[in-house]
Amino acid sequence: MKIKADTTVCIGAGMCALTLPEVFDQSEDEGTVVLLRETAPEGQEEAVRRAVTLCPSGAISAS
Amino acid sequence: MSDLTLPMTRQRPFDPPDEAAELRQRASMHRLTYADGHVGWLVTGYAEARAVLAHPGFSNLAEKMHPPIPSRLDLVEERSRRGVPRGFFLRTDPPEHTRYRKLLTGQFTVRRMKALEPRIHEITNSCLDDMEAAGGPADLVEAFALPIPSLVICELLGVPYEDRGQFQEDSKLLVNLETKADDVIAALGRVTAYLHGLIQRKRKEPADDLLSGLIEGGELDDEELTGVGFLLLVAGHETTANMLGLGTYALLTNPDQLAAMRDDPSVVDNGVEELLRYLSIIHLGPFRVATEDVEIAGNLIKEGEMVGVHVPVANRDPSRFPDGDRLDLARPTGGHLAFGHGIHQCLGQQLARAEMRIAYPALLRRLPGLRLAVTPEEVPMRSDMTIYGVHRLPVTW
């Protein structure tokens, strides 16, 4: 599963970092999404999908 | 045409108005008549609420809004004449909104809020020490629910806590639905003048706080800094405080859920989300105005039409949360709309989570005999405020 993030759309709500900190972090300055890895860790596909659903601004996607 | 006006009367302390719940059973969207005669919409379904809040074809500008209830008639007129202070970015659209928000999001990340936890524990324990020393009965709002988030937001922003008397009073006036437009404008003026003075002082003597950081960043002028400070100060006072007060009341009337929150640390994080969903303390709004024709779930919202999202009933939509009228701290709660959705979703939500995850269990563990000191009928509910909750919660232990 490939993960993508768009920091221009991100509003820094932090839902991804709260849901799956192994994959999603937030930048120090703007609080926008930082991808720690671009593929879902094994067995974490469901959590990645949950993070995508919880994102309020549609800044992350997974396919 | 429509003869539906916004349902505001609640029959029970924790449930949304029955009329709103009945509307949701009939349909997910309804034509709604606003107080000035404008015919717009009311959204009661979960999926439709999410769709509206995430859609880029809506504006949050105050001057585009119609008054949702008669007591807001004067205020909406007055506000559209005067405008909202610049920097009060809740009432901005992109790209202005994006600019303000990006200056602040770095201050409210999950990691930064985690770093605040030891201080939140200290503040919480100090409130509990004072309660124990004074002995019951006490008003939980005054002794616990308000001081924790108030002190935290003051320290974060760099607002002297000893100044709280006036801005706590003004904050209350501003969210009271019955406050006359003139009094709202006066309260607005007092808080603005206070913050403006504070910003002047911080410019001369910066400290390690959010407002000083924004001043140093140099991106915002004094009026904008005042608007930003205003929004964060009021939002920091009127939200978590009401969740702590109302949430504790809800737990006290659901003893098995209270025991789970007190005794099982693995319940706490999800339990807080469930309290947020179940109580959904936004009592009026959020509202948006369509800036283009937008189709949501087969309904055409025309440009200029106003849409109200009824978060308390949307968060109990059985298609998303089965048996949603029941408080169940163990249920899957992901995706609730208590913090909103879309680009205006609560900036301080990770702070609110940290405060609630610490405060509820700390209170229940320290005072295991906690109970109401009055009958449930005597608890004054905030049916007259934009943010719901309890005015006071007399408790003993």
Side-chain angles (χ1 to χ4, degrees), chain A residues 13-27:
Chain A
M15 289 313 296
C16 56
L18 187 75
T19 305
L20 194 53
E22 299 91 322
V23 173
F24 302 103
D25 197 359
Q26 293 175 274
S27 72

Side-chain angles (χ1 to χ4, degrees), chain B residues 178-201:
Chain B
E178 302 302 326
T179 308
K180 300 274 173 273
D182 285 352
D183 297 328
V184 170
I185 302 299
L188 211 67
R190 280 191 298 272
V191 182
T192 304
Y194 169 73
L195 285 171
H196 192 262
L198 183 67
I199 284 158
Q200 302 307 313
R201 292 205 298 282

Side-chain angles (χ1 to χ4, degrees), chain B residues 46-367:
Chain B
Y46 172 84
E48 295 75 11
R50 219 177 115 100
V52 166
L53 293 173
H55 200 288
F58 291 100
S59 168
N60 209 12
L61 295 181
E63 58 264 35
K64 291 184 193 276
M65 300 281 171
H66 298 272
I69 52 174
S71 71
R72 287 314 227 200
L73 205 55
D74 289 353
L75 180 61
V76 167
E77 269 171 27
E78 189 67 20
R79 207 163 47 184
S80 66
R81 196 169 62 76
R82 287 170 184 256
V84 170
R86 283 165 62 231
F88 193 92
F89 60 93
L90 177 62
R91 293 282 179 216
T92 58
D93 292 336
E96 291 77 18
H97 175 264
T98 319
R99 170 176 169 254
Y100 289 119
R101 179 127 185 166
K102 290 233 158 137
L103 287 174
L104 291 162
T105 40
Q107 305 290 324
F108 290 91
T109 59
V110 173
R111 196 185 306 115
R112 291 244 183 163
M113 296 306 109
K114 191 107 198 127
L116 276 183
E117 284 177 7
R119 181 63 188 135
I120 300 173
H121 273 290
E122 269 178 26
I123 292 170
T124 303
N125 286 331
S126 144
C127 286
L128 291 169
D129 292 345
D130 291 349
M131 282 176 75
E132 274 195 318
D139 171 15
L140 193 80
V141 173
E142 198 190 317
F144 186 82
L146 181 59
I148 295 171
S150 178
L151 190 49
V152 171
I153 196 69
C154 284
E155 288 187 358
L156 192 68
L157 291 178
V159 172
Y161 187 59
E162 56 274 22
D163 295 349
R164 68 188 177 279
Q166 187 65 53
F167 61 69
Q168 283 185 355
E169 275 311 303
D170 286 332
S171 183
K172 252 190 251 176
L173 278 176
L174 290 170
V175 297
N176 189 320
L177 296 169
E178 302 302 326
T179 308
K180 300 274 173 273
D182 285 352
D183 297 328
V184 170
I185 302 299
L188 211 67
R190 280 191 298 272
V191 182
T192 304
Y194 169 73
L195 285 171
H196 192 262
L198 183 67
I199 284 158
Q200 302 307 313
R201 292 205 298 282
K202 285 192 180 292
R203 214 177 261 296
K204 291 193 196 96
E205 291 175 47
D208 183 17
D209 56 51
L210 193 151
L211 286 176
S212 297
L214 285 176
I215 294 169
E216 200 186 347
E219 294 252 0
L220 302 178
D221 63 29
D222 279 8
E223 188 190 340
E224 291 175 309
L225 286 163
T226 303
V228 168
F230 190 102
L231 175 58
L232 299 186
L233 190 63
V234 173
H237 273 89
E238 296 298 332
T239 49
T240 307
N242 285 305
M243 272 305 298
L244 289 178
L246 188 63
T248 302
Y249 183 21
L251 291 170
L252 287 172
T253 48
N254 289 272
D256 53 329
Q257 302 295 307
L258 183 148
M261 179 66 91
R262 182 188 60 212
D263 302 333
D264 185 353
S266 75
V267 162
V268 172
D269 290 2
N270 191 72
V272 165
E273 302 302 316
E274 170 67 351
L275 284 167
L276 284 160
R277 180 200 70 81
Y278 177 73
L279 298 170
S280 295
I281 57 171
I282 180 152
H283 189 55
L284 181 69
F287 296 96
R288 300 286 186 269
V289 173
T291 53
E292 57 187 70
D293 289 358
V294 177
E295 197 180 308
I296 302 283
N299 296 291
L300 178 65
I301 301 169
K302 292 206 179 110
E303 181 183 348
E305 285 183 346
M306 184 151 154
V307 182
V309 175
H310 204 301
V311 172
V313 290
N315 264 342
R316 293 180 178 208
D317 185 337
S319 68
R320 181 66 182 76
F321 300 105
D323 197 14
D325 287 326
R326 199 162 58 87
L327 177 69
D328 173 6
L329 301 190
R331 81 161 70 230
T333 53
H336 69 72
L337 304 172
F339 289 118
H341 187 65
I343 62 165
H344 294 284
Q345 194 185 55
C346 180
L347 172 70
Q349 59 179 291
Q350 307 302 349
L351 174 60
R353 284 193 172 93
E355 290 170 337
M356 285 184 274
R357 288 173 176 189
I358 290 169
Y360 288 127
L363 170 70
L364 300 174
R365 282 173 204 161
R366 179 78 78 93
L367 306 174

